Amino acid sequence: MTKKRLPPVLLVSGNQGLLRDRRLREIIYGCEKSGWAVEELDSFDEIHNYLSGFASLFSGKRVALWKSKEKFDATMVKEFAKDPSPNLSLLFCYPGTPTAKSDFGKLVKAFPKTHSIFTKPSDFKLEEAAIEFCVAEFKLHGMVISGNLAAALVRKVGSDFGIVSFEVLKATELARAQGVTEIVPEILKGSMAVLAEASIWPLLEALENRNGRATANVLERLGETGRRNTMKVLGTLRATLLTCAQAAELHERGVSPKEAAEIVGSHIYRYQKTILPLARNWGRNRLFVLLEKLAKAERAVLSGGIDPWNTLVSGILSTV
C-alpha cells in the first residue's frame, strides 16, 4: 500500500476475525503512511455523499472505510470505479463470508484482485490450520518452534487463532528476555496462561481498557456458551479480579511488581502483562464494585434465578 494511487475499491472479508482485522489494519497503516487520510463511516449514505461530489469539499487524499454487512448500492460503487477520483478510494470490510448475490459479493466479482478474504477452516481442519498458524506466527516474530511443540500448544489452548496468537506473543517476549530465538517447552511453560483465563482473555482485555463497547461485544460473542457456563465464567473472572484487586492495593502502596507478583502468587510475566495493567486502570475500589456484581450473579445461579447470565452481563456493563 505504498503506491501514490490507490485502487478505487478495496475489499476485506471473512469469518476468520483475527486475520481479517489484521489485514484491515495493514491496509489502513499503509494508506496513512502514504499520506492518505482514512475515515471510518457509519453508513453507506456517507459514502453516497462522497460519490456525489461531497468529497471535493475536502483537500488531500482520502480513504472512505465502511465496515458492515448491510445492503448498499453496489452499482454506484462500480460506476465510481469506471472513472474514479484520484484522491478517493473506497475500503469495504465485511465481517463474515458474503454470498455471491449480496452487494458485497457483487463487488468481489467486479474487483477480485483487490479482495482479501480470510475464511475459517472447517471443524475437522481447524486444529491443523491452528498449528500451521502457530508456527507461522512465531516465524513472524523471528522465532522458531517445532511442529510437535506447536501442536502441543494448540491442543493445550484450543484452535482459536486469537488465543493462539496471544500465547505466541507471550512466549516470544519471554524468549527475547532470555536472549533466545528457539521456543522450547520450558519457555511455553513459563509463559502459559491459566487455561480458564485464556478462554475469556478477550473479555479481560476489554475490561482492562475499560472499553464498554468492546466489553459488550465480547459478552455478546460469548452468547450461549457463556450462558451454559455461567459459573465457570464467574469463577475465572472472580479469581482473576481478586488478584487484580490485591495487585491494585499493592501498587497503591508502592510495592514493586516483582515483589507484588510473589505476594499474589503469580508469574512475573503474567503479573506485568495481565494483572497489573487491569489493576492500574480500574483501581481497588472499582474492582470491589465489579466483584460485588459478580457475587450478585453467583447468588442468582445458586438460587435458581431465571437468567443469571443476564445478571452477570448487566452487572459488568454497569461498571465499565
Side-chain angles (χ1 to χ4, degrees):
M1 287 296 156
T2 57
K3 298 178 181 178
K4 292 182 179 179
R5 176 72 182 98
L6 288 176
V9 179
L10 294 162
L11 307 170
V12 181
S13 70
N15 58 4
Q16 182 52 269
L18 182 136
L19 298 182
R20 181 195 67 232
D21 293 345
R22 180 180 290 180
R23 175 58 180 155
L24 183 63
R25 288 194 298 270
E26 289 173 352
I27 292 175
I28 292 172
Y29 174 77
C31 291
E32 292 177 337
K33 189 176 180 181
S34 300
W36 290 72
V38 180
E39 181 180 3
E40 184 172 350
L41 307 179
D42 295 324
S43 70
F44 187 77
D45 287 341
E46 294 181 75
I47 292 181
H48 183 277
N49 290 336
Y50 269 94
L51 301 185
S52 300
F54 182 68
S56 62
L57 299 176
F58 300 98
S59 60
K61 299 175 290 186
R62 289 180 175 268
V63 176
L65 165 63
W66 191 41
K67 298 189 289 185
S68 178
K69 288 185 175 182
E70 295 177 14
K71 294 181 179 181
F72 59 91
D73 191 344
T75 301
M76 175 178 282
V77 176
K78 289 189 284 187
E79 287 299 317
F80 160 74
K82 291 178 181 179
D83 184 25
S85 164
N87 293 324
L88 177 63
S89 183
L90 306 179
L91 172 55
F92 292 86
C93 179
Y94 188 97
T97 305
T99 63
K101 293 183 178 180
S102 68
D103 293 308
F104 192 94
K106 293 174 184 176
L107 293 188
V108 170
K109 184 177 180 180
F111 309 103
K113 292 183 179 180
T114 58
H115 178 217
S116 301
I117 184 169
F118 302 92
T119 305
K120 186 179 294 184
S122 57
D123 289 344
F124 72 93
K125 290 185 177 180
L126 189 55
E127 182 176 293
E128 179 183 350
I131 294 170
E132 292 177 359
F133 170 75
C134 179
V135 173
E137 196 79 346
F138 272 117
K139 185 177 180 180
L140 187 67
H141 292 291
M143 298 288 153
V144 177
I145 187 172
S146 70
N148 289 338
L149 191 54
L153 173 59
V154 168
R155 291 182 186 120
K156 186 77 171 176
V157 303
S159 301
D160 184 281
F161 279 27
I163 293 175
V164 173
S165 177
F166 174 57
E167 294 296 344
V168 167
L169 183 61
K170 291 193 301 170
T172 295
E173 293 192 17
L174 187 57
R176 285 175 179 164
Q178 296 181 8
V180 299
T181 57
E182 182 179 1
I183 303 299
V184 295
E186 289 73 22
I187 289 177
L188 285 185
K189 184 178 179 180
S191 68
M192 187 70 70
V194 177
L195 270 183
E197 180 178 303
S199 66
I200 60 165
W201 164 250
L203 177 57
L204 291 172
E205 185 177 39
L207 286 173
E208 175 192 323
N209 297 320
R210 291 181 61 183
N211 186 324
R213 185 175 181 179
T215 302
N217 289 338
V218 171
L219 288 168
E220 184 178 358
R221 287 198 300 272
L222 280 172
E224 287 304 314
T225 300
R227 195 179 299 276
R228 291 193 304 269
N229 299 278
T230 303
M231 280 301 290
K232 181 178 180 181
V233 174
L234 276 168
T236 302
L237 274 177
R238 183 178 60 250
T240 302
L241 295 178
L242 280 171
T243 302
C244 289
Q246 190 177 5
E249 182 177 359
L250 292 169
H251 177 67
E252 291 169 7
R253 285 164 43 191
V255 178
S256 70
K258 183 178 180 180
E259 185 180 354
E262 294 178 357
I263 293 173
V264 302
S266 172
H267 190 282
I268 182 62
Y269 182 90
R270 175 174 174 262
Y271 184 84
Q272 290 183 314
K273 294 297 180 181
T274 304
I275 304 300
L276 186 56
L278 198 152
R280 284 172 174 166
N281 287 347
W282 279 75
R284 180 181 58 177
N285 292 337
R286 287 184 63 88
L287 282 168
F288 279 132
V289 171
L290 180 53
L291 283 165
E292 288 176 5
K293 301 294 184 180
L294 299 190
K296 181 179 179 180
E298 186 170 350
R299 288 194 296 271
V301 174
L302 297 176
S303 63
I306 297 175
D307 195 350
W309 175 252
N310 186 57
T311 301
L312 173 61
V313 170
S314 59
I316 290 175
L317 294 179
S318 69
T319 59
V320 176

